[in-house]
Amino acid sequence: MTFDIGISSFVALYIFMLAGFTGWVVIGRVPAILHTPLMSGSNFVHGIVVVGGLFALLNADTLQQQIIGFFAVLLGAGNAAGGYAVTERMLAMFQPSVGKPKHAVTKRSSKKATTPKPGTA
C-alpha cells in the first residue's frame, strides 16, 4: 500500500502564510519580559527545521532545490546555535554573584544619611 500525497505550490504557500500569521498573533500576545524565555525554550523547533532542511537537501533533484536545502540547513543550524547561546546568557543572569553583597550601600546614600540638611539644627 503506497500513499502518494501531492501538494500544489498554492497550497504550500497558503500553509506557509497561515503558519506565519499564527506565529505572529501568538508571539504578539506574549508580554515583552517573556519573549526571551519563550524563544529559548522553543529551540527544539529549530532542530526540526534542520531535519526538514536535511530532508529537502537529500531529496533534491535540481541545483536550485539543493541550494534551497543547503540554506535551510545553514539557517536552521545557525538559529539553533544562537538560541542556545542566548539561553546560556539568560541563565547566567540568574546566577548569584560571588563577590558582591546582596544589598550594597553606595557612597551617595551614606552621605545623605550622615550630612544634616541646611537650616536645621
Side-chain angles (χ1 to χ4, degrees):
M1 180 156 73
T2 8
F3 293 105
D4 185 26
I5 300 174
I7 187 167
S8 69
S9 59
F10 179 74
V11 173
L13 180 64
Y14 177 74
I15 291 171
F16 178 76
M17 289 173 51
L18 188 62
F21 179 73
T22 303
W24 176 67
V25 168
V26 168
I27 296 299
R29 294 177 188 222
V30 174
I33 196 163
L34 295 178
H35 275 252
T36 302
L38 175 69
M39 295 313 291
S40 67
S42 65
N43 280 331
F44 71 94
V45 173
H46 306 302
I48 295 170
V49 169
V50 172
V51 170
L54 283 171
F55 182 76
L57 183 60
L58 294 174
N59 292 319
D61 296 327
T62 65
L63 180 63
Q64 181 183 13
Q65 292 173 348
Q66 290 175 348
I67 291 171
I68 291 172
F70 172 77
F71 279 112
V73 171
L74 182 71
L75 294 175
N79 207 355
Y84 284 112
V86 166
T87 302
E88 286 296 319
R89 290 186 67 184
M90 182 187 67
L91 291 175
M93 290 184 342
F94 297 106
Q95 296 295 324
S97 357
V98 177
K100 297 181 182 177
K102 289 184 178 179
H103 298 288
V105 178
T106 61
K107 291 181 182 179
R108 177 177 279 175
S109 63
S110 63
K111 279 187 178 180
K112 287 183 182 178
T114 58
T115 309
K117 292 182 181 179
T120 58

